[in-house]
Amino acid sequence: KFFMLTDDKSGFEIPGMLLPKALHNEGNFVISLGKLVRYMGEVAEEMGVEVSDKTTRVGLCFYSGMTDLPHDSTLKKQVYPGFAASEVLYDSDGAVRGVATRDVGLDRHGNPKSTFERGIELRARHTIFAEGCRGSCSEEIIEKFDLRSGKDVQTYGLGVKEVWEVPEEVARPGFVQHTLGWPLQSTALDKTFGGSFLYHMGPNYVLLGMVVGLDYENPYINPYREFQRWKMHPEVAKHLEGGTCVSYGARTLNEGGYHSIPKLTFPGGLLVGCSAGFLNSVKIKGTHTAIKSGMVAAESLHESLSANEQFAIANTEDCEIDPAEPVFEATSYATAMESSWAVAELKEVRNCHASFHFGFLPGLAYSGLSAHLLRGREPWTWKAGRPDAEKTQESADFSPIDYPPPDGVLSFDLLTNLQRSGVYHEDDQPSHLRVKEESAHVPVEESLRKYAGPEQRFCPAGVYEYVPDEEEQEDRGDDEAHALIEGKKKLVINAQNCVHCKCCSIKMPQEYIKWTVPEGGGGPQYPIM
């Protein structure tokens, strides 16, 4: 079903025959991505991939030769799920040669503790960057090789999500509902882009969330609290009746679409999934296109490596890569993606997001016209033009939003919900959220003065707060807590709360935050998300 919500109690259903095919979900599956990834890890082990005994998440390296080798091959295939790539390795000519993991066991001042371990270098013939939206290494690569030259800037949305366990009589596995309108759009010319999703997943779970385009203008918008009050609407609340919220999380999404896809390849590597920006913002889905890009990348690299006997297998018994080997660029991957159904799908809706810059009703009308008739064939192109951080308007032009207090049944305060994310970071480590040196003045002089400190509202984990400078603070050290003092206010960064959504690196005035990876394993835990 698809509802247009007119206020906090009313709305009407849009008939399915009027909806574009992108919003029809027949034949799709409602799944937990967390469970899917764990299942894929089991499949990898069955294929002979050695998975380290670390219990946490991100980090991957394969040392392998031809893909048709038997599973008992002596060639190494390894996955390092507890290590995040923190540094891109380059050769003397500037080509990518792999990645390095972050040192672990450093205290908050950067000094080695008794648990210190040096990061390791993972060198490869070709490195696939699959970090998701706004990955730190991927963004470095995009800038270094100028991969956005001739492309539109990327624009983003922030998705805030919960998982509920509901009684069997409420559960409707396979049911899908989307909404537009209230609370994000209350007038015909509102320019805030966004909407909601609600999925029933077997046996008795409801997965629901809201995506807010980060190109919004009003600095008083609080995406988390917009989501909380949306759940109070009767068309939403009835799906949660008698249920219990069991998980909470947040993540940014690429919403620039086809015009914002960068050049996909560079010497020694390529971009896949949301590192490249293959999400379809009309569908609010990108897993299918991300998987497709990974498949195309694997096929293209296998073809390129197989065509050259020098690349058929690693050069030594330990599978080390000879640094004298020539570096190649897998340009066939970009060609194959351009002719794939994944990119064709993005072309069909290439102007839809940008059309909402004219207002909610004009954007809705154009998106309907585009989806049913034009399908991306229109001769004009509308672009974002400026990054999301520059779209925020000064607070003097707006009034604070009076959000209803949480009731503790359907809506919750942020810190209560944050516990459901399972977020954890080692306390005594260097902060992974840093104010850029050249932007040290921005938090107080720009963000707080001109925009009323929007980071206090758009962060879905309560990481950023401005506090009175006379208030006694834990002795963190200025370098670690980034306490920037002027007058009676200072910014404090509670990095231990971070759910790794990357919103701060996007929406901060002048993008003053540099996001880096924390120690391996730090972050939220999403077993059922």
Side-chain angles (χ1 to χ4, degrees), residues 366-407:
Y366 181 84
S367 295
L369 177 67
S370 176
H372 288 292
L373 183 63
L374 299 175
R375 298 190 176 181
R377 295 188 296 262
E378 58 267 38
W380 56 84
T381 293
W382 293 332
K383 296 187 176 183
R386 293 181 296 156
D388 293 337
E390 295 182 14
K391 299 289 183 68
T392 311
Q393 301 296 307
E394 295 191 11
S395 58
D397 298 329
F398 299 88
S399 299
I401 300 173
D402 184 20
Y403 289 103
D407 65 3

Side-chain angles (χ1 to χ4, degrees), residues 1-49:
K1 291 186 175 182
F2 197 104
F3 280 92
M4 181 67 66
L5 305 183
T6 54
D7 57 32
D8 61 345
K9 290 184 172 55
S10 306
F12 57 90
E13 183 179 350
I14 299 176
M17 62 181 294
L18 298 180
L19 298 176
K21 68 176 184 178
L23 291 174
H24 286 267
N25 289 286
E26 294 85 358
N28 291 346
F29 295 87
V30 179
I31 66 166
S32 161
L33 193 57
K35 288 185 175 182
L36 173 65
V37 171
R38 288 196 296 277
Y39 163 75
M40 292 173 68
E42 294 172 359
V43 172
E45 285 187 293
E46 292 173 359
M47 296 177 65
V49 176

Side-chain angles (χ1 to χ4, degrees), residues 13-14 53-54 92 145 300 332 336 340 360 395 400 446:
E13 183 179 350
I14 299 176
D53 56 6
K54 296 282 184 178
S92 58
F145 292 101
S300 299
S332 60
S340 71
F360 171 59
S395 58
E446 294 286 331

